[in-house]
Amino acid sequence: MSFTMICRGSLLLLLLTGLVSADPAKRLSDERPNFIIMLMDDMGYGDLGVMGEPNRETPNLDQMARDGVLYPEFYTGAAICSPSRAAMLTGRLPVRNGFYSTNNFGHNAYTPQEIVGGISDDEILLPELLKKAGYTTALVGKWHLGHRPQYHPMDHGFDTWFGAPNCHFGPYDDKETPNIPVYRDRNMMGRYFEDFQIDRKSGESNYTRLLADEAVSFLQSQVNASAPFFLLWTPDASHAPHYASKEFLGKSRRGLYGDAMMELDHSVGRILNALRDNNMTNTLVFFSSDNGAALVDKGHGGSNGRLLCGKQTTFEGGFRVPTIAWWPGQAAPGTVSHQVGTQMDLFTTFTQLAGQPIPDDRVVDGIDLTENLRDGSITDRSVFFYRGDLLMAARVGHYKSHIWTFTTPPEELGNGTDHCPGMSIANLTTPEQINRTDTPVVIDLSRDPGEMYQLPTYTDEYQTEVNKMYKVITDHVTDMVKGRPALDWCDQAVMNWSPSGCEALNDCLTPPKSDPYRCYWPH
Amino acid sequence: MSFTMICRGSLLLLLLTGLVSADPAKRLSDERPNFIIMLMDDMGYGDLGVMGEPNRETPNLDQMARDGVLYPEFYTGAAICSPSRAAMLTGRLPVRNGFYSTNNFGHNAYTPQEIVGGISDDEILLPELLKKAGYTTALVGKWHLGHRPQYHPMDHGFDTWFGAPNCHFGPYDDKETPNIPVYRDRNMMGRYFEDFQIDRKSGESNYTRLLADEAVSFLQSQVNASAPFFLLWTPDASHAPHYASKEFLGKSRRGLYGDAMMELDHSVGRILNALRDNNMTNTLVFFSSDNGAALVDKGHGGSNGRLLCGKQTTFEGGFRVPTIAWWPGQAAPGTVSHQVGTQMDLFTTFTQLAGQPIPDDRVVDGIDLTENLRDGSITDRSVFFYRGDLLMAARVGHYKSHIWTFTTPPEELGNGTDHCPGMSIANLTTPEQINRTDTPVVIDLSRDPGEMYQLPTYTDEYQTEVNKMYKVITDHVTDMVKGRPALDWCDQAVMNWSPSGCEALNDCLTPPKSDPYRCYWPH
């Protein structure tokens, strides 16, 4: 479909449905919506009030759901941060875009600061397409698609960036390991625990407020802009080590994690209010999380509600995430959509709405949710659950078949790491990697989102669903072109010793001699 | 406090706060509110959309929560039907009102139709007090406080009754076991599976519609009444065997249970609309469930969300129930209250609001929620979790201490009965009854409503909470007067062979010779 056709079609639709807003500030020349993705870090399916969290820390998100579309069946592209983010921004599964490793069979990999690789130049990212379509693009928050210069967000479609390339682990001593830098655009502004404080004892940090301020400033800078914008807002306070501003510390009923939730929710409210106050409601906003809650945080992290297990696993607790869309005048308020969605769909939806063609030289896993948002129509689609490049499970219709099962390996369990604490389902939550392709475990997710009750193998229902699933997986894998694995190699020398801009801050550190090794991925 | 004082106080409050409604139909002579309790059967904490159920089957209940007060920390008096209902209507724990058995140590008992006992004449029931206060009282639905003539609801405070005395198990052959009767007032109108059909294969039954019709008819009969009313509405479609009307069959995404949920939700909407349409919004409505979801229904029953285990257990999944209050003009819409409540509080709250004194010759466990409803003020209170007359756990503040642990005994597990399917928490989900009084398992319910993470015993927090709990339990048990156990004796002869009214229907069956035996309670 050509750009002209899409634009004409959209305008026609707008005129016919009377949805053209009377907003005096609207761009006469460009009716295309702005886009915002608010992507949380390790926030679980059950962490929002609207998703049942008993402490009800999220009045702004609950209201956002009432004003927009709640998606109770929305998935990430992976159960861990970097691959999930890479999937969202490329519209493609990590197995295709290369965000995996083959070092450890069927294990998850990500981008710690010793990682050598990052997002490939061969991948086309959503911000690149939107920029091509004339959008102004901004990243505020964590990147996590590689921290070395060639992987910087500014070289992969973003006009501006404020935030960090990696997780805010630390504090480090800057000798064995450097602290993680925080960038503005191409230059570091300082480092976590040095210039951007997180008090590990009290949990106090004003960093979420900084990120909210940055987002609001960006929006204000766009009020009179002639081009639409794309803002990717990725705060990380709900990822361990959790933190919150003084204003929110001790305010929740469930400790620091709840305090962080309250501040993130408050920030969501600030951003939506900035849109309203500036007559910028021709903006499609998606709120979601990069993966399920990290249950290894042992009651100090988030909640996946009734879903099975957490981050790192291919159970629902790893992949299904709280998701809300908000698009005043276009998506009917108070909608609950049972569209099965994935974050890769944002790539396709936003690209289409921006009038750009979807790349046709590669497989894109995302589907276009525009009609679903506008009129609730449902598109049938399957979901694939990988660990690394190993396909572990598939959702076909409302049935999920597990062809490999794996929770946490015994040596990790021995270290106190448990991705499925307190959960023990025969044939399903296995600490060993077990191939069940011959007799998959089949779950009816509509009746049983917690994956507690398996379809008996002797039933017709089981056989029917298994056969359907085999066919869908056959379609999916037989022409699969796997990306070159980007997360195989580590090297202490590539860590954030001397990020660009360190000279001006007198904060350049000396890297050790390069000594690449295959990264070890424990689960 | 005297009746006069309460009335004067209430009137003053109404005048001061400007809450006197301009409703033309209001009773000039009586400003006391009407009361409705909508008590569901085996509906779980996680079954409502507003509590996070992904299929979102409950638009009316979700709206009721938006228009009223949601109580995410509300408990039943027991994790099984009859004792729970007896607790609610007496305002007293089953261990006090006698709704337990000593036949099997620390096991639950209830009122199957072979039970000899029922609610004691010595107990004062909420409808009795309300009737004394001039209220018209109606029961529509399941009773479950004893089915023999002396236990009939009409002899324990209700002016009218339409419904059944026991669970709708069956169909029976009327030889070994009679089918359960359905009464109107003092006479049976027919029996389940004979005159009141439930198609066990398709799940079709119009019984929920009948109960909703009855409720609405009762409300309409009260439009011009001079006295306020109390309606106890207790449908049982969410208790196995589940059923729904043809209109709702197959309409949900999770099978018959979801269909039943949709019909119950629809009925709640009908009842609230009847109040609105008839200018009867001076009505305090509580929606709740008699205990947690029955997880033994293996994915065909309800959901307790992220709570641990289900019906029959003293974990949160047994006792914590979805609860909403609705009181237009008095309770602020959209409130979430973290008041720790129990259904026994309805006894105290309604009695006080009706201007009746709370009985002072016995311990009443309920507290008055009136101020909480009106201004959100919180009363500190503890919750006690019994199985039978064995105190298993106590909630003090937001900490819960388990002094006995027990899930399902091995012989029941062998039969396929499992109250904690897929859940296995060290020291907590024990199939054996284990006395942990020396080293209780302590949970911080604010952070961990799923009871997954135990406070380490070496921490100060643990010692502080254990000591508080010992003191609270000491206060609670040292002067405990246990009721005479009402559920010890069974006899096939007392079953529903010849309920009152059977003659007119030519439906009297011949009972076997009386042969009382001690009931066996398996868990």
Side-chain angles (χ1 to χ4, degrees), chain A residues 96 192 273 292 303 324 384 414 435 480 487 494 512 517:
Chain A
R96 299 191 209 274
Y192 274 123
N273 281 338
S303 158
I324 303 168
F384 302 96
N435 185 346
M480 166 68 71
L487 308 178
V494 306
Y517 58 95

Side-chain angles (χ1 to χ4, degrees), chain A residues 50 55-56 73 253 424 446, chain B residues 50 55-56 73 253 422 446:
Chain A
V50 68
N55 297 298
R56 305 264 150 179
E73 305 187 48
R253 300 163 48 85
S424 171
S446 290
Chain B
V50 68
N55 296 298
R56 306 263 149 180
E73 304 186 49
R253 301 161 47 83
S446 290

Side-chain angles (χ1 to χ4, degrees), chain B residues 32-105:
Chain B
R32 292 177 301 168
N34 307 304
F35 304 119
I36 298 180
I37 300 175
M38 301 169 163
L39 189 74
M40 302 301 109
D41 208 332
D42 288 6
M43 190 180 286
Y45 186 75
D47 270 325
L48 278 55
V50 68
M51 300 307 288
E53 213 293 316
N55 296 298
R56 306 263 149 180
E57 294 145 353
T58 59
N60 291 286
L61 285 161
D62 301 350
Q63 186 63 46
M64 183 180 175
R66 287 195 287 277
D67 295 340
V69 183
L70 181 69
Y71 286 98
E73 304 186 49
F74 214 88
Y75 293 89
T76 59
I80 181 170
C81 42
S82 303
S84 162
R85 289 158 195 255
M88 185 179 78
L89 291 181
T90 61
R92 286 152 52 80
L93 286 165
V95 67
R96 300 191 209 273
N97 68 35
F99 257 58
Y100 67 92
S101 164
T102 53
N103 295 353
N104 306 88
F105 178 75

